Amino acid sequence: MTAAGKLAGETAIVTAAGQGLGEEISKTFALEGANVAVVDINQADAERVCADINKAGGSAIAIKTDATKKSEVTAMVATVVAQWGTVDILVNAAGGFHQFAPITEIAEEEWDRVINVNLKSVFLCSQAVAKTMMDKRKGCIISISSGAGVGPNPYAPSYLPYGAGKAGLIGFSKLLARDIGEYGVTVNTVAPGTTLTPRVRKVRDAASIERIKNQNPMKTLVEPEDCAAAVLFLASKDARYITGVNLNVNAGNIIV
């Protein structure tokens, strides 16, 4: 960890930080000098990532939070402000789904669950930090979308609730960027393609991974650190005038 890093002295909240992209983003931010609130619905995962950061010389706290519940989000942000005095960066990394199904087989409860975790969580967390950022006229909100939110994958089936949630996230972020830009707050999204997180490596065999690689123009898959680097760029002073942008990080899987 370094006092001269790109995020030195900044305070960041990262949701879904107990694994996958959220974990990689949290550790990358800590390496660049940020105080990091490691937020996850799974307390044990959040504490593990927090311990790794602190052991390496960084500054982190673990906060168990269901990002789809307003009361829990409000309490989480209050804890961060009590610890470090402010919030400079919010990374909304919570999201996902657990099945593919055609529209005729999607239950209303499943639709609500997927939309809540992928879109409502972004609204609640962004709302919870907005006043602090607007009052000090400085802040950065970055949300993790997906290629599924940009358009249908030409090589794989899409899952309607997930794609709709991620597309809504991109639209929400562009509108929010317009609404609060005058206060010096930037709002952007990063849309990964299939990324070689531990979960992806666990659920896909070598042949499946190779097939997806060969479908991409660059004939490779993105690593978690590649997405974390894109998020770091958008959170840094290098991107201080970039807002309302969706940055595709997918080895060319979707080119727009």
Side-chain angles (χ1 to χ4, degrees):
M1 316 304 170
T2 172
K6 290 186 176 182
L7 303 181
E10 302 280 280
T11 292
I13 294 171
V14 183
T15 66
Q19 61 179 332
L21 292 181
E23 176 177 354
E24 190 67 32
I25 292 164
S26 295
K27 291 179 175 178
T28 298
F29 277 16
L31 281 170
E32 292 293 337
N35 304 311
V36 182
V38 179
V39 176
D40 201 277
I41 197 169
N42 186 302
Q43 181 71 28
D45 286 347
E47 289 179 351
R48 175 185 58 80
V49 174
C50 180
D52 287 347
I53 290 172
N54 289 327
K55 185 177 180 180
S59 173
I61 57 174
I63 310 175
K64 181 181 184 298
T65 305
D66 181 342
T68 70
K69 302 290 177 56
K70 183 179 178 68
S71 60
E72 294 192 27
V73 170
T74 300
M76 176 270 290
V77 173
T79 298
V80 175
V81 172
Q83 177 76 16
W84 289 305
T86 191
V87 179
D88 300 294
I89 303 162
L90 167 66
V91 178
N92 293 301
F97 66 97
H98 69 280
Q99 67 179 13
F100 283 100
I103 188 170
T104 53
E105 297 178 14
I106 299 170
E108 180 182 358
E109 295 77 14
E110 170 68 2
W111 173 273
D112 290 344
R113 188 191 71 80
V114 176
I115 294 296
N116 283 347
V117 72
N118 289 284
L119 183 55
K120 182 182 178 183
S121 66
V122 174
F123 161 67
L124 291 177
C125 291
S126 300
Q127 182 184 58
V129 303
K131 187 175 188 306
T132 295
M133 292 182 176
M134 293 163 70
D135 284 349
K136 67 179 183 177
R137 307 189 72 83
K138 175 181 177 294
C140 176
I141 298 172
I142 304 163
S143 299
I144 305 301
S145 183
S146 167
V150 178
N153 188 329
Y155 310 114
S158 297
Y159 185 48
L160 283 171
Y162 180 72
K166 291 304 190 183
L169 185 160
I170 293 172
F172 169 84
S173 298
K174 290 181 177 181
L175 291 166
L176 184 59
R178 181 65 178 267
D179 286 352
I180 63 178
E182 66 180 289
Y183 297 96
V185 182
T186 62
V187 187
N188 296 291
T189 57
V190 171
T194 300
T195 304
L196 288 172
T197 60
R199 184 184 69 84
V200 168
R201 292 183 184 278
K202 182 178 180 180
V203 301
R204 293 188 181 277
D205 59 24
S208 172
I209 289 175
E210 194 63 27
R211 185 183 70 254
I212 298 170
K213 282 183 178 181
N214 289 330
Q215 291 166 347
N216 289 341
M218 296 184 72
K219 306 302 180 186
T220 189
L221 286 184
V222 175
E223 298 283 352
E225 53 264 35
D226 298 311
C227 290
V231 175
L232 172 63
F233 165 68
L234 290 172
S236 73
K237 292 182 175 63
D238 294 336
R240 64 189 181 274
Y241 295 131
I242 296 176
T243 195
V245 165
N246 178 60
L247 180 57
N248 292 308
V249 184
N250 57 27
N253 179 259
I254 294 176
I255 297 174
V256 294

